[in-house]
Amino acid sequence: MIGAAELAAIRAAHPRVFRRSAAERLRLAFAWTLFLVVLAVGLWRVLPGWEAFAAGLGKLGFLLLFMIPPTSGGHLGAILHGLAETLAMAFMGTLLAAAAAVPLGFAGARNVMPVRLLHFGLRRLFDGLRGIDSLIWAILFVAAVGMGPFAGILALAVPDTGTLAKLFAEAIENVERRQVEGIEAAGSNAVERARFGILPQVLPVMLSHVLYFFESNTRSATILGVVGAGGIGLQLAERIRLDDWQEVAFIILLILAAVAVIDWVSGRLRRWIIAA
């Protein structure tokens, strides 16, 4: 329990926490009112009418009834092959992005690349790569290289390269300078400073990011299959077009199970890497 004297001292040290002025309360009330008005107007503009909303819920209920019971329809082998293809797309896309992002991250860090013009240009390159969603990249690569998992791998690797390079560069900019200075004092060159002074500090962070992106790309690769990038998403789209909702339900449950397993495994690996 906090005594009266201690509470009084805390109140005196932090008066704004316990009592706000009338002007502050008015500004806070205005900010909340503005937020609620903007939220209400936004919902009013985008939400359909109640009749359309109720009709949509009714249609969704019918679809859920058609999904019971989930079944593979005798195509379990093909569905599992599609799932394996999706996991391979996610793995290869993440691996390619990480391999490209490591040198780009070093080049995009201010403490490694002191030339402001080059640093600015690389950061804008990162913004350009990650500014376009992987679904748009998938449509472009399907048109360029044809349908199949290779287009999906490229569609995952390109935007992830920009995002991972930005994250890696920010981690490199926040390294402990004394370790780098110790390597410099031993007469090392730029490559040795990066290898022995910077990389050991940021490697756990990099690996943690890569594992998270692999987990996220497993879900993204499923969506990419809908536009022709292969994998289980393509099989899901085909069964939706054929109104085969029992197999749709089976594929959705299989995807959820795979994502849950990957999430659990990658979460444990990230905690182990951070603790190490």
Side-chain angles (χ1 to χ4, degrees), residues 95-158:
L95 184 64
L96 290 176
V102 171
L104 288 174
F106 274 96
R110 288 189 181 91
N111 53 344
V112 176
M113 177 61 70
V115 182
R116 293 176 61 88
L117 183 60
L118 292 177
H119 175 267
F120 178 82
L122 282 172
R123 285 303 183 98
R124 300 296 72 79
L125 173 64
F126 301 162
D127 293 340
L129 293 177
R130 66 191 181 90
I132 302 175
D133 189 75
S134 57
L135 186 61
I136 307 300
W137 284 113
I139 295 173
L140 295 175
F141 283 123
V142 166
V145 302
M147 297 178 62
F150 183 61
I153 291 171
L154 295 177
L156 292 172
V158 171

Side-chain angles (χ1 to χ4, degrees), residues 164-228:
L164 284 174
K166 180 179 182 296
L167 294 173
F168 291 173
E170 291 176 350
I172 292 168
E173 290 175 351
N174 293 314
V175 297
E176 175 59 48
R177 180 63 187 168
R178 286 177 295 181
Q179 182 171 337
V180 181
E181 291 174 348
I183 300 296
E184 290 177 346
S188 61
N189 55 36
V191 175
E192 291 169 340
R193 286 196 299 272
R195 167 63 182 86
F196 299 103
I198 297 176
L199 188 60
Q201 299 187 58
V202 299
L203 187 58
V205 178
M206 288 180 172
L207 292 176
S208 178
H209 286 318
V210 170
L211 285 172
Y212 175 78
F213 270 71
F214 172 59
E215 170 195 329
S216 177
N217 283 340
T218 304
R219 297 187 292 269
S220 299
T222 303
I223 304 300
L224 299 185
V226 176
V227 297

